[in-house]
Amino acid sequence: VPPGETIQGGDIDIRMNFATGAQEARLHSATGGRKATEAAAPTRTTAQGVTDPNATYEFRYRVVELDDLIDAATVGLQPRLRDRAASRVQIDYIAQNLNAEALLKDTGELDRGSPIIGSDLVVESGNGRVLAMRQAVTENPDAWQQYQDALRGRLSSAGLSEQDVAEMRAPVLVRERVTPVDRVAFVAEANEASVLGMSPYEQALQD
């Protein structure tokens, strides 16, 4: 029966739609005989509490535009003034010594590794790291490119793909908090630095 022709039989009209069948056949061939499925969900990870080591928080990995991240201080979640001399020194240090591994590694800790955000893109831990990365884009472009290359190498283990960063200008890997919390208390805990015995860079990474 030609496409679109109607076969009438009693009270039943049957329209043969061969175009749809052809499209499905092409899709079947293009996917190697498998039906299209949704992309795998991002990998989830956990971190221990700082003030209470028995507490565990869950996160999912996500890539976002660097400039879309929101400093916690701008929404009243973090009182620290980023223009203070000590904070500026820390931010400058991270920017000048940008370490992709330290910013991408799954540390299992709240105050180190990839920044932690809420679903609204507010940075709950790692505001100093975010500011340093923004600074490194222009002041330390070689290290920033190394971060970008390392990030792409990390996508698969984070349950992400090249498609997730394809349209981004400056993608960064973050941990989006999944565990419900008292947000003010969580931000305070996540920024509770235990700096004894740490190198200057390790201390800076906790900011």
Side-chain angles (χ1 to χ4, degrees):
V1 181
E5 180 173 334
T6 301
I7 302 175
Q8 294 185 341
D11 296 328
I12 301 175
D13 289 343
I14 305 173
R15 182 168 296 277
M16 308 297 291
N17 189 345
F18 290 103
T20 300
Q23 291 169 353
E24 289 180 351
R26 287 194 296 272
L27 177 61
H28 185 79
S29 176
T31 57
R34 299 186 302 274
K35 285 190 176 293
T37 58
E38 292 184 0
T43 301
R44 295 201 175 195
T45 185
T46 59
Q48 287 185 318
V50 177
T51 55
D52 180 6
N54 293 319
T56 301
Y57 301 96
E58 186 176 18
F59 310 91
R60 58 172 156 254
Y61 283 114
R62 182 177 171 185
V63 282
V64 299
E65 282 282 9
L66 178 59
D67 286 341
D68 288 344
L69 293 171
I70 302 167
D71 193 318
T74 65
V75 294
L77 282 175
Q78 191 175 32
R80 185 171 303 168
L81 298 176
R82 294 292 164 183
D83 57 354
R84 289 192 323 184
S87 291
R88 283 273 24 124
V89 168
Q90 289 182 324
I91 292 167
D92 289 345
Y93 190 90
I94 299 173
Q96 293 165 12
N97 300 273
L98 199 70
N99 185 323
E101 181 180 358
L103 293 168
L104 295 170
K105 184 179 179 180
D106 186 357
T107 63
E109 298 176 83
L110 296 176
D111 50 6
R112 279 179 285 180
S114 301
I116 293 171
I117 68 168
S119 59
D120 55 1
L121 299 180
V122 171
V123 180
E124 297 177 341
S125 178
N127 284 284
R129 280 162 272 167
V130 169
L131 292 174
M133 285 191 281
R134 287 175 179 162
Q135 187 170 315
V137 172
T138 56
E139 296 185 10
N140 195 356
D142 290 342
W144 175 248
Q145 186 56 55
Q146 290 174 5
Y147 172 85
Q148 290 296 298
D149 295 341
L151 168 60
R152 282 167 169 77
R154 178 86 168 80
L155 290 174
S156 178
S157 61
L160 302 166
S161 72
E162 283 285 345
Q163 289 184 338
D164 293 305
V165 300
E167 303 299 323
M168 292 187 179
R169 299 183 306 277
V172 293
L173 183 70
V174 296
R175 292 172 286 172
E176 181 182 328
R177 177 179 47 76
V178 176
T179 303
V181 296
D182 176 321
R183 199 174 198 186
V184 173
F186 176 76
V187 170
E189 178 180 14
N191 290 277
E192 181 90 14
S194 301
V195 299
L196 291 179
M198 293 184 181
S199 69
Y201 188 71
E202 288 174 325
Q203 293 181 32
L205 282 176
Q206 290 190 302
D207 195 21

